[in-house]
Amino acid sequence: MLKIKHTLCPSCSVGCGINVVLNEGEIVGTFPYKRHPINAGKNCLNGKNSIDYYLNKFKKAIVSNHETDIDTAISDVSKELNSIDSSSVTILCLGNNSVEEIEAIKNFAESKNYNIAFYADDLKDFKEVASYEEVANASSVFVIGDLLYENPLIGRRIVHAKQKGAKVYALGKSEKSVTFNIADETFNSSVQEFLNAIESKIDESSVIVFNYVDSKEDLDKLESIKCKVLPVFSNSNSKGTFDFVESKSLDEIVELLENTKALLVFDDVVDKLDYDFTRISKLISFACCENDTTKISDIVIPIKTWLEQDGSFVNAMGEVQNFSSVIESDNLSIIEIIDKLNE
C-alpha cells in the first residue's frame, strides 16, 4: 500500500517541504508537497534525489576498510580518542546536522576539551536577513552566484520579482550562469568590484541575494550596504549551527587541522575544503552513506539519515522548521552515538 509522508528537504538552506512516497513500508520516491509555504509543490533535482542518502545507506560500520558491528567500531573510536591528548582532537561540521544534533556535538566537544570547527562556505551569520517574500517583492535584486541553478527555489523568488518589474543584476563566475538569462545586467568581476558598481543603484527596497563571497571584506561591505541581504548556504542547517558554534574561515580550519591527530567528521568535507585529509593520523567519519570522506577514513560510524529521525533545521531566512521521521531504522542517531562515547 502506498503512503505519503511530509518532511523537509536537506539539500540546502532554503527549507523546502518534500513528500516521501513509501510502498509497503519501503521508500520508493518523492512527490511535490503542494501546500508547503516555502516551495508550494516545487522541488529541485537535488531535493528529488535526496532519498538516495537512505537508499544507499551503510549497513555496517567500517574499521580499517573492513565491515564490523557498530559497538565494536564505537569502542575503537573511544580507544583512539583516549590514547591522545584532547587538544589534538578536532570535530569538524559543515552545517548539515540538525539543531538537536549540533547541540549534542558541541556539548560533547566541550566536555572532552576537543576543538570544534564549523565551516559555512566562508559566509557569516547576518542577524537581520531578507525574507523570501521580500526577495519576490523587491524593486531590484542583486544576485551573487548562480542562484537559479544552484538554489532554484530561491531563484524562483528572483523570477517572481522580475515578473513584477524588478531589475535584476547578476554576478557569476561563468558566462554560462543560468541566472544571467533573466538579468538586466551581468558581471564577471570580483565581488568587491560588483558591489562598487551597483552601489548607486541600491535603495531600501532592494535585496542582495548571494551564495558566495571572495573575502571577509566582501562580507563587511555587504553588512554596510543600506538594504536587506540574504545569504543562501549550501547546507541545510548552517543558520542554526551559528547559534552554537562560531564559524571559521578556510585558512583558520587548515591551521587547526595542521595540529590535529584525530579528526571527527560529521559530513563530507573532502570536496568542500582544500586540504589533504590523508595527513590526519586518524580520520573518523559519522555518515549515513558513502562519500569522498568515508572513502579515506580509518573508521566509519553509520548514522541515521534525515528520513529516519525527528529534528529541526533553521532555514536561510532564520525560520525554525521541524521535521519528523518517515521510516524506522536500526541505525543509531548521532545523539545516541555520542551517548555511547560518553559511557
Side-chain angles (χ1 to χ4, degrees):
M1 185 173 72
L2 288 176
K3 286 187 178 180
I4 295 177
K5 295 194 175 182
H6 310 307
T7 186
L8 288 178
C9 175
S11 299
C12 73
S13 64
V14 176
C16 297
I18 193 168
N19 283 333
V20 178
V21 183
L22 296 93
N23 184 23
E24 302 297 335
E26 288 297 323
I27 294 172
V28 294
T30 62
F31 188 77
Y33 192 165
K34 297 291 186 183
R35 297 188 301 277
H36 197 274
I38 299 293
N39 53 307
K42 308 290 184 182
N43 288 118
C44 71
L45 186 60
N46 287 334
K48 293 173 184 176
N49 293 338
S50 58
I51 60 170
D52 289 348
Y53 292 113
Y54 173 81
L55 298 177
N56 299 310
K57 69 177 184 175
F58 285 120
K59 301 296 192 297
K60 291 276 191 176
I62 301 171
V63 176
S64 300
N65 295 318
H66 293 92
E67 290 189 344
T68 187
D69 63 273
I70 184 71
D71 288 332
T72 298
I74 291 175
S75 176
D76 286 350
V77 171
S78 293
K79 290 175 185 176
E80 291 290 346
L81 297 179
N82 291 333
S83 68
I84 58 177
D85 188 89
S86 61
S87 63
S88 299
V89 179
T90 296
I91 294 175
L92 183 54
C93 306
L94 294 183
N96 269 335
N97 302 109
S98 69
V99 170
E100 296 74 20
E101 288 172 336
I102 198 63
E103 182 176 17
I105 292 168
K106 179 197 175 187
N107 291 339
F108 175 63
E110 290 181 344
S111 70
K112 302 291 187 180
N113 293 316
Y114 297 155
N115 305 299
I116 183 167
F118 164 43
Y119 182 67
D121 308 317
D122 275 327
L123 302 179
K124 65 179 286 186
D125 185 20
F126 288 76
K127 295 304 179 184
E128 292 188 21
V129 298
S131 70
Y132 300 159
E133 289 311 304
E134 285 173 320
V135 174
N137 293 305
S139 63
S140 52
V141 184
F142 302 89
V143 187
I144 302 173
D146 194 359
L147 274 295
L148 263 68
Y149 178 74
E150 296 166 14
N151 304 97
L153 274 303
I154 288 291
R156 186 165 172 254
R157 264 59 176 210
I158 299 170
V159 171
H160 289 170
K162 174 78 172 180
Q163 291 170 339
K164 294 175 184 177
K167 296 290 186 182
V168 177
Y169 303 86
L171 170 65
K173 296 179 179 179
S174 167
E175 291 287 356
K176 296 180 180 179
S177 169
V178 176
T179 307
F180 282 6
N181 294 331
I182 67 162
D184 295 278
E185 193 171 346
T186 63
F187 300 77
N188 285 119
S189 64
S190 70
V191 173
Q192 279 286 334
E193 290 169 334
F194 173 70
L195 294 175
N196 290 335
I198 54 92
E199 193 162 11
S200 63
K201 298 179 174 69
I202 294 173
D203 58 35
E204 290 184 354
S205 61
S206 302
V207 174
I208 302 175
V209 188
F210 59 100
N211 62 12
Y212 79 89
V213 294
D214 297 326
S215 67
K216 180 181 180 298
E217 288 70 32
D218 296 339
L219 296 172
D220 295 338
K221 178 77 171 178
L222 285 161
E223 199 161 39
S224 70
I225 291 175
K226 302 301 182 183
C227 77
K228 289 198 173 181
V229 301
L230 180 65
V232 182
F233 304 97
S234 62
N235 294 316
S236 54
N237 194 43
S238 292
K239 184 76 172 170
T241 304
F242 281 117
D243 291 334
F244 296 95
V245 185
E246 183 179 348
S247 66
K248 294 184 180 296
S249 69
L250 179 56
D251 289 342
E252 289 172 328
I253 288 178
V254 168
E255 182 179 354
L256 182 59
L257 293 178
E258 288 296 310
N259 298 298
T260 295
K261 293 182 179 179
L263 179 64
L264 283 67
V265 177
F266 288 87
D267 217 316
D268 185 6
V269 298
V270 165
D271 64 345
K272 274 279 192 176
L273 303 177
D274 185 18
Y275 185 79
D276 180 9
F277 287 93
T278 61
R279 297 170 60 182
I280 304 291
S281 299
K282 194 62 64 173
L283 182 56
I284 303 165
S285 286
F286 299 82
C288 57
C289 61
E290 185 179 78
N291 58 48
D292 289 339
T293 306
T294 64
K295 290 175 184 177
I296 61 170
S297 295
D298 301 284
I299 301 176
V300 178
I301 304 294
I303 60 173
K304 285 183 176 179
T305 68
W306 59 286
L307 292 165
E308 299 167 300
Q309 56 185 319
D310 303 334
S312 60
F313 294 144
V314 180
N315 66 24
M317 64 178 175
E319 191 176 79
V320 178
Q321 298 178 278
N322 297 309
F323 60 92
S324 301
S325 63
V326 302
I327 194 166
E328 294 184 358
S329 170
D330 292 330
N331 277 359
L332 298 178
S333 68
I334 287 174
I335 295 172
E336 291 170 326
I337 291 167
I338 287 175
D339 287 342
K340 284 183 171 289
L341 289 173
N342 279 324
E343 289 178 356

